[in-house]
Tab-separated table of all heavy atoms in Angstrom:
chain	number	residue	atom	x	y	z
T	188	LEU	N	20.467	62.814	205.449
T	188	LEU	CA	19.671	62.667	206.630
T	188	LEU	C	20.283	61.875	207.713
T	188	LEU	O	20.179	62.189	208.869
T	188	LEU	CB	18.291	62.010	206.221
T	188	LEU	CG	17.273	62.920	205.396
T	188	LEU	CD1	16.190	62.101	204.939
T	188	LEU	CD2	16.893	64.111	206.251
T	189	ALA	N	21.050	60.860	207.356
T	189	ALA	CA	21.711	59.975	208.350
T	189	ALA	C	23.000	60.671	208.980
T	189	ALA	O	23.373	60.483	210.094
T	189	ALA	CB	22.017	58.585	207.764
T	190	LEU	N	23.804	61.418	208.107
T	190	LEU	CA	25.115	61.743	208.462
T	190	LEU	C	25.289	63.223	208.925
T	190	LEU	O	26.242	63.571	209.581
T	190	LEU	CB	25.950	61.553	207.161
T	190	LEU	CG	26.102	60.118	206.723
T	190	LEU	CD1	26.834	60.147	205.162
T	190	LEU	CD2	26.895	59.243	207.708
T	191	ALA	N	24.375	64.007	208.515
T	191	ALA	CA	24.496	65.420	208.968
T	191	ALA	C	24.563	65.642	210.587
T	191	ALA	O	23.917	64.936	211.260
T	191	ALA	CB	23.224	66.282	208.513
T	192	GLY	N	25.565	66.444	210.884
T	192	GLY	CA	25.850	66.656	212.266
T	192	GLY	C	26.910	65.807	212.888
T	192	GLY	O	27.130	65.973	214.089
T	193	THR	N	27.546	64.854	212.083
T	193	THR	CA	28.469	64.036	212.588
T	193	THR	C	29.747	64.688	212.705
T	193	THR	O	30.381	65.392	211.695
T	193	THR	CB	28.848	62.879	211.649
T	193	THR	OG1	27.608	62.137	211.400
T	193	THR	CG2	29.835	61.838	212.108
T	194	PRO	N	30.413	65.072	213.902
T	194	PRO	CA	31.427	65.913	214.206
T	194	PRO	C	32.659	65.806	213.332
T	194	PRO	O	33.493	66.768	213.087
T	194	PRO	CB	31.618	65.971	215.651
T	194	PRO	CG	31.091	64.508	216.003
T	194	PRO	CD	30.011	64.308	215.071
T	195	ASN	N	33.127	64.621	213.022
T	195	ASN	CA	34.317	64.416	212.373
T	195	ASN	C	34.262	64.075	210.800
T	195	ASN	O	35.142	63.647	210.188
T	195	ASN	CB	35.146	63.293	212.951
T	195	ASN	CG	34.535	62.075	213.038
T	195	ASN	OD1	33.275	61.976	213.247
T	195	ASN	ND2	35.253	60.929	213.239
T	196	LEU	N	33.090	64.493	210.264
T	196	LEU	CA	32.794	64.285	208.862
T	196	LEU	C	32.471	65.624	208.117
T	196	LEU	O	31.856	66.506	208.642
T	196	LEU	CB	31.455	63.427	208.711
T	196	LEU	CG	30.960	63.192	207.208
T	196	LEU	CD1	31.933	62.291	206.536
T	196	LEU	CD2	29.568	62.652	207.202
T	197	TRP	N	33.235	65.715	207.125
T	197	TRP	CA	32.981	66.829	206.065
T	197	TRP	C	32.500	66.074	204.763
T	197	TRP	O	32.685	64.836	204.712
T	197	TRP	CB	34.136	67.665	205.692
T	197	TRP	CG	34.532	68.584	206.716
T	197	TRP	CD1	34.427	69.894	206.733
T	197	TRP	CD2	35.058	68.280	208.014
T	197	TRP	NE1	34.789	70.536	207.943
T	197	TRP	CE2	35.227	69.584	208.763
T	197	TRP	CE3	35.570	67.175	208.849
T	197	TRP	CZ2	35.715	69.679	210.082
T	197	TRP	CZ3	35.996	67.282	209.976
T	197	TRP	CH2	36.108	68.561	210.646
T	198	VAL	N	31.933	66.775	203.829
T	198	VAL	CA	31.465	66.231	202.518
T	198	VAL	C	31.920	67.027	201.451
T	198	VAL	O	32.181	68.268	201.559
T	198	VAL	CB	29.875	65.944	202.545
T	198	VAL	CG1	29.617	64.928	203.634
T	198	VAL	CG2	29.186	67.249	202.446
T	199	ASP	N	32.144	66.390	200.212
T	199	ASP	CA	32.294	67.290	199.052
T	199	ASP	C	31.098	67.079	198.148
T	199	ASP	O	30.429	66.110	198.341
T	199	ASP	CB	33.731	66.996	198.342
T	199	ASP	CG	33.849	65.690	197.694
T	199	ASP	OD1	32.846	65.223	196.974
T	199	ASP	OD2	34.904	65.214	197.526
T	200	CYS	N	31.026	67.881	197.184
T	200	CYS	CA	29.771	67.975	196.251
T	200	CYS	C	30.093	67.222	194.919
T	200	CYS	O	29.261	67.474	194.018
T	200	CYS	CB	29.271	69.347	196.093
T	200	CYS	SG	30.409	70.465	195.404
T	201	SER	N	31.199	66.619	194.854
T	201	SER	CA	31.616	65.986	193.484
T	201	SER	C	30.554	65.012	193.063
T	201	SER	O	29.940	64.301	193.916
T	201	SER	CB	32.920	65.415	193.576
T	201	SER	OG	32.981	64.355	194.408
T	202	SER	N	30.342	64.845	191.746
T	202	SER	CA	29.582	63.747	191.145
T	202	SER	C	28.224	63.779	191.800
T	202	SER	O	27.602	62.678	192.086
T	202	SER	CB	30.223	62.425	191.145
T	202	SER	OG	31.131	62.362	190.116
T	203	SER	N	27.618	64.884	191.948
T	203	SER	CA	26.271	64.974	192.591
T	203	SER	C	25.362	65.960	191.777
T	203	SER	O	24.215	65.619	191.601
T	203	SER	CB	26.419	65.534	194.056
T	203	SER	OG	27.101	64.733	194.871
T	204	PHE	N	25.931	67.091	191.340
T	204	PHE	CA	25.134	68.062	190.685
T	204	PHE	C	24.435	67.613	189.428
T	204	PHE	O	23.318	67.988	189.098
T	204	PHE	CB	25.998	69.269	190.367
T	204	PHE	CG	26.533	69.968	191.592
T	204	PHE	CD1	27.550	70.934	191.512
T	204	PHE	CD2	25.914	69.872	192.811
T	204	PHE	CE1	27.986	71.686	192.599
T	204	PHE	CE2	26.270	70.544	193.901
T	204	PHE	CZ	27.291	71.444	193.834
T	205	TYR	N	25.091	66.623	188.690
T	205	TYR	CA	24.616	66.097	187.442
T	205	TYR	C	23.231	65.341	187.681
T	205	TYR	O	22.458	65.218	186.656
T	205	TYR	CB	25.622	65.149	186.715
T	205	TYR	CG	25.601	63.734	187.395
T	205	TYR	CD1	24.939	62.713	186.715
T	205	TYR	CD2	26.277	63.537	188.558
T	205	TYR	CE1	24.894	61.390	187.283
T	205	TYR	CE2	26.295	62.191	189.142
T	205	TYR	CZ	25.689	61.239	188.527
T	205	TYR	OH	25.586	59.939	189.009
T	206	ALA	N	23.099	64.832	188.863
T	206	ALA	CA	21.798	64.047	189.065
T	206	ALA	C	20.779	64.720	190.014
T	206	ALA	O	19.769	64.118	190.256
T	206	ALA	CB	22.302	62.801	189.869
T	207	LEU	N	21.024	65.905	190.539
T	207	LEU	CA	20.157	66.524	191.443
T	207	LEU	C	19.689	67.916	190.979
T	207	LEU	O	20.464	68.655	190.353
T	207	LEU	CB	20.955	66.710	192.739
T	207	LEU	CG	21.401	65.548	193.532
T	207	LEU	CD1	22.285	65.913	194.795
T	207	LEU	CD2	20.174	64.768	194.124
T	208	PRO	N	18.376	68.236	191.147
T	208	PRO	CA	17.945	69.535	190.948
T	208	PRO	C	18.713	70.514	191.830
T	208	PRO	O	19.038	70.219	192.993
T	208	PRO	CB	16.337	69.536	191.303
T	208	PRO	CG	16.053	68.128	191.269
T	208	PRO	CD	17.390	67.253	191.696
T	209	LYS	N	18.871	71.802	191.437
T	209	LYS	CA	19.556	72.774	192.191
T	209	LYS	C	18.963	72.984	193.684
T	209	LYS	O	19.704	73.104	194.603
T	209	LYS	CB	19.539	74.138	191.507
T	209	LYS	CG	20.547	74.045	190.238
T	209	LYS	CD	20.710	75.404	189.733
T	209	LYS	CE	21.633	75.548	188.510
T	209	LYS	NZ	20.938	74.894	187.287
T	210	GLU	N	17.709	72.977	193.706
T	210	GLU	CA	16.983	73.208	195.028
T	210	GLU	C	17.297	72.024	195.894
T	210	GLU	O	17.468	72.224	197.143
T	210	GLU	CB	15.516	73.390	194.892
T	210	GLU	CG	15.070	74.836	194.384
T	210	GLU	CD	15.734	75.864	195.292
T	210	GLU	OE1	15.623	75.813	196.523
T	210	GLU	OE2	16.355	76.790	194.746
T	211	LYS	N	17.340	70.838	195.425
T	211	LYS	CA	17.672	69.630	196.295
T	211	LYS	C	19.130	69.744	196.705
T	211	LYS	O	19.532	69.468	197.895
T	211	LYS	CB	17.431	68.313	195.578
T	211	LYS	CG	17.765	67.066	196.403
T	211	LYS	CD	17.205	67.031	197.788
T	211	LYS	CE	15.546	66.853	197.692
T	211	LYS	NZ	15.007	66.716	199.117
T	212	SER	N	20.054	70.106	195.846
T	212	SER	CA	21.455	70.270	196.202
T	212	SER	C	21.586	71.324	197.363
T	212	SER	O	22.334	71.191	198.302
T	212	SER	CB	22.342	70.625	194.984
T	212	SER	OG	22.417	69.611	194.049
T	213	LYS	N	20.961	72.470	197.106
T	213	LYS	CA	20.956	73.482	198.111
T	213	LYS	C	20.529	73.046	199.392
T	213	LYS	O	21.076	73.319	200.511
T	213	LYS	CB	20.150	74.639	197.573
T	213	LYS	CG	20.225	75.932	198.408
T	213	LYS	CD	19.451	77.029	197.776
T	213	LYS	CE	19.493	78.387	198.473
T	213	LYS	NZ	18.690	79.411	197.668
T	214	GLU	N	19.361	72.322	199.397
T	214	GLU	CA	18.806	71.694	200.621
T	214	GLU	C	19.700	70.890	201.414
T	214	GLU	O	20.001	70.850	202.657
T	214	GLU	CB	17.527	70.989	200.397
T	214	GLU	CG	16.885	70.355	201.583
T	214	GLU	CD	15.642	69.491	201.111
T	214	GLU	OE1	15.041	69.872	200.143
T	214	GLU	OE2	15.390	68.447	201.696
T	215	ILE	N	20.479	69.947	200.624
T	215	ILE	CA	21.404	69.002	201.239
T	215	ILE	C	22.629	69.772	201.736
T	215	ILE	O	23.124	69.364	202.884
T	215	ILE	CB	21.807	67.814	200.176
T	215	ILE	CG1	20.545	67.011	199.911
T	215	ILE	CG2	22.961	67.087	200.715
T	215	ILE	CD1	20.806	66.061	198.764
T	216	ILE	N	23.054	70.618	200.994
T	216	ILE	CA	24.270	71.443	201.444
T	216	ILE	C	23.989	72.186	202.815
T	216	ILE	O	24.732	72.064	203.726
T	216	ILE	CB	24.630	72.434	200.466
T	216	ILE	CG1	25.415	71.839	199.282
T	216	ILE	CG2	25.706	73.551	200.952
T	216	ILE	CD1	25.673	72.676	198.002
Side-chain angles (χ1 to χ4, degrees):
L188 289 169
L190 298 170
T193 306
N195 52 334
L196 176 70
W197 283 253
V198 298
D199 73 35
C200 61
S201 67
S202 282
S203 301
F204 294 162
Y205 79 100
L207 295 172
K209 290 187 179 71
E210 283 305 312
K211 178 54 68 175
S212 292
K213 186 175 182 178
E214 177 185 327
I215 291 173
I216 286 171

